Structure formats: C-alpha cells, structure tokens
Amino acid sequence: MLKCPSMWLQLVLGLACLGAVSLQSLQSFPKLCDVNNFDDFLAQTGKIYADEGERAYRESIFAAKKSLIDLSNKNADGGFSGYRLYLNPLADLTKKEIATLLGSKVSESGEKYTNGHINFVTAPNPASGNLPESFDWREKGGVTPPGFQGMGCGSCWSFATTGALEGHLFRRTGVLASLSQQNLVDCADDYGNMGCDGGFQEYGFEYIRDHGITLANKYPYTQFEMQCRQNETAGQPPRESIVKIRDYATITPGDEQKMKEVVATLGPLACSMNAAPISFEQYQGGIYADEECNQDEVNHSVVVVGYGSEGGQDYWIIKNSYSQNWGEGGFMRILRNAGGFCGIASECSYPIL
C-alpha cells in the first residue's frame, strides 16, 4: 500500500494525508496512506454517513473495490500487469456517483457549431520520421499542475480545453499561464456545453474563438456552475487578461501517428476517453492497460501532454482533473498504438493560435 511520507515532507510537498475533513469541501481530494480497512478510510477522508445502514452499504462498496485492487496489484507483483491501483477517496462511491465526474458529452446544440468544421493540417511541414521517440510537455515547462474538478461537477471538458490551450500558448510565448475553467463552465452554455452537467472540448474551443477566455487568477474555479462573469473579470480595455484563438483543429479519429506529430511539434491535445472502469478511478501508476475500458463509449475529457515507451509498451501521458493526489501526480500513462486504447484517439482537438 501507499506509504505516508514524514510530516515535514508532507507539508513541503502539500501531500499530507488528511483526516476529519469533508471531501466535498476540498479543492483537492486527500491522499490516503496505508488504508488497510474501512475504519482507516473513514479516518483519513472524514466521511460521515447518515445512519448505520448507509455506513454498511458504503463499506460493502469499499470492500468490493479493495478486493479488485488487491487482485490487480497481485497480478502486477507477478509480472502479469504493468499498472497498479490504490484506494483513494472515491472508493466508497457507486458507479452512478462516479459518473458525475465523467462529463464528456456531445449535444445537438453543440454539433451545429462543429458540423462541417475543417480538419486542418495538424502540423506544419510534417516530419513524422524525425519525431522524437519520447516527448513530455511537463519537462518543457508547458503544463500547469492538475486541478480537481470537484465531486458532482462533470467539468472535465473545461479542464481539457484549458489544458491544451495552456500548452500551445506556452509553446508560442514561453509563458505558462493558467486559464479559467470556471469561465467556460459559467459562460459556454450557448455553445452546447452544460457546465457541471458536461460538455465537449470542441465546444469549448468554439466559445474561446468567439469570446476568449480569462486567466484563472481573475476568474477562479469554484466546482459549481455560476452566473457568467467574464466581462467583469476581463479587466479594462484592451482586456489584457483575455486569451483568444484563431480556430481549432481536430484529429482524424484513430490517427495516433498524427496525435504524436501534433504533441511533439505543436502542443498538447484535448481528447476524450472511457474512464468508467474502477481501475481508472483507483489508478495509482504504471501503463494503464485494462481492456474493460474498450467496452464502452468515451465519457471523460483529458489532456494528452506527451508520449513514450517502457518495457516494449508505447504509452500516452494524460493529464486528468482528479487532483495531484490521483494517479502519477495527477497524470496517467495509457497504452499507445493499441487501437486507440480506451477511445483515446477517437475525439482529439487542439487550438490554433
């Protein structure tokens, strides 16, 4: 199981294992350490249930997930799997409750904006044969720390949209600026998005092309949809805190070579994937390869920030929006060149500055 660092190191890293707190009140969910049973889980998350019946129900969910995690990690220890799981604060939630985090949704009103959109040439002077074998925008300084979208808020689409744009702005300007997910959650409904009820990264880019987006420090994230405040947070003309794009481009579904080309030469990609399996929810590290994620449609938006290979397996590096206490510091490695694993190559786009 995950070991707790010393208290001094916890404070330095901001990764303290928390107790007696409400998950819903956190900007990030707590990092759980050495969870051996349900009592440990409750002590570290601070969760309190309405009655004993509810507690027993939640403990049964926890026990089933713990059994799956233990079996999965046993397979990893035996060399039969390349990824590991661990118990995190989502371990007592039902599939329906977890689905509130999975907000990648296309809509009829949104598709009227994207229908007929041009699939632009995705890299200038493509040089596929000369692409690096591995690439990571984190190493270049072009990725902001993973945030937490919040329980009950399916705003992953806004995190994917801003994450991709942040990387492309960095490549163009050399400056890493955090952009406001809240701006999109509050203001982009007319483009087919539904705030915390879901949306789509392409609709987010449509909005930014027409209206721009505010810096995150001017328009902070709240984990709730609120009244649009873009005008009052943008500053006085010339509205220096507003970022705009010329357009956006999409990747032909399934074209992982083109994805690699864009990531290595232009910047990160906003992509959809299927994040419904428990193994995704409770992922700790390694190259994710659970075939269960190929059984359903895509439902979650992430940012592809790099790629590489390890032990003969190619992988994508994705940035999630479950906080830095999920996965590999908020990131996941997922199989690459494996038929668009988990649907990762089915819906990818990026901004054109």
Side-chain angles (χ1 to χ4, degrees):
M1 300 300 292
L2 198 64
K3 298 296 182 181
C4 291
S6 68
M7 181 57 68
W8 177 85
L9 188 58
Q10 289 176 2
L11 293 174
V12 171
L13 297 178
L15 299 177
C17 301
L18 303 179
V21 294
S22 166
L23 179 60
Q24 283 73 16
S25 69
L26 294 176
Q27 290 301 307
S28 178
F29 63 29
K31 190 177 187 70
L32 309 187
C33 305
D34 294 326
V35 177
N36 296 308
N37 53 51
F38 195 54
D39 288 336
D40 288 344
F41 177 79
L42 295 183
Q44 293 189 42
T45 61
K47 293 190 178 187
I48 300 174
Y49 307 117
D51 52 41
E52 283 301 312
E54 173 75 2
R55 187 189 190 282
Y57 175 60
R58 296 297 176 178
E59 185 171 9
S60 69
I61 297 172
F62 171 89
K65 290 186 180 182
K66 186 177 186 301
S67 294
L68 184 149
I69 290 168
D70 291 344
L71 177 60
S72 179
N73 289 342
K74 183 177 180 180
N75 288 335
D77 291 339
F80 301 107
S81 170
Y83 64 94
R84 298 186 65 82
L85 309 180
Y86 78 121
L87 288 162
N88 67 33
L90 307 178
D92 67 334
L93 301 183
T94 65
K95 186 172 184 178
K96 184 176 181 179
E97 289 168 329
I98 296 296
T100 64
L101 293 167
L102 309 179
S104 179
K105 299 177 182 178
V106 296
S107 64
E108 184 176 346
S109 59
E111 288 302 288
K112 72 181 181 182
Y113 288 99
T114 59
N115 279 343
H117 189 82
I118 299 171
N119 286 340
F120 289 91
V121 175
T122 52
N125 302 316
S128 299
N130 297 322
L131 296 177
E133 288 302 309
S134 63
F135 193 94
D136 189 343
W137 279 105
R138 296 175 299 179
E139 296 176 355
K140 308 293 183 182
V143 181
T144 57
F148 180 42
Q149 64 191 79
M151 292 306 306
C153 187
S155 59
C156 55
W157 61 274
S158 68
F159 282 83
T161 304
T162 55
L165 180 50
E166 288 164 353
H168 284 256
L169 281 171
F170 174 81
R171 188 258 305 167
R172 174 66 67 85
T173 67
V175 176
L176 182 61
S178 295
L179 302 177
S180 174
Q181 296 91 19
Q182 194 68 38
N183 191 164
L184 294 177
V185 170
D186 291 349
C187 306
D189 284 8
D190 287 346
Y191 287 73
N193 299 301
M194 296 158 282
C196 280
D197 290 328
F200 190 39
Q201 50 269 16
E202 291 182 22
Y203 308 162
F205 288 136
E206 291 276 355
Y207 176 86
I208 295 171
R209 182 186 61 193
D210 293 348
H211 301 279
I213 186 170
T214 313
L215 299 178
N217 63 350
K218 302 289 185 180
Y219 201 157
Y221 187 66
T222 67
Q223 303 183 5
F224 302 96
E225 184 173 0
M226 305 177 75
Q227 184 175 356
C228 180
R229 298 186 299 112
Q230 180 169 348
N231 288 339
E232 64 186 80
T233 60
Q236 299 300 315
R239 298 189 180 278
E240 66 281 354
S241 63
I242 286 285
V243 172
K244 287 191 174 182
I245 63 175
R246 288 193 295 117
D247 215 320
Y248 67 98
T250 58
I251 304 292
T252 301
D255 193 343
E256 294 190 71
Q257 179 60 31
K258 187 62 70 175
M259 290 173 62
K260 178 181 178 182
E261 187 179 297
V262 170
V263 170
T265 61
L266 293 178
L269 288 165
C271 298
S272 302
M273 65 176 294
N274 176 20
I278 293 173
S279 56
F280 179 94
E281 162 203 327
Q282 302 290 320
Y283 168 80
Q284 179 181 6
I287 301 176
Y288 184 70
D290 188 349
E291 290 285 349
E292 183 183 346
C293 75
N294 293 319
Q295 297 176 10
D296 292 305
E297 299 298 318
V298 295
N299 50 31
H300 189 54
S301 300
V302 296
V303 189
V304 176
V305 301
Y307 61 86
S309 301
E310 180 180 279
Q313 287 188 317
D314 296 337
Y315 61 80
W316 295 111
I317 305 167
I318 68 167
K319 178 185 178 182
N320 197 14
S321 47
Y322 289 2
S323 91
Q324 296 179 64
N325 290 335
W326 176 89
E328 296 181 332
F331 298 85
M332 168 187 262
R333 287 176 292 159
I334 183 174
L335 283 178
R336 175 169 63 96
N337 296 328
F341 205 79
C342 296
I344 192 64
S346 61
E347 296 175 347
C348 289
S349 55
Y350 67 92
I352 298 175
L353 303 180

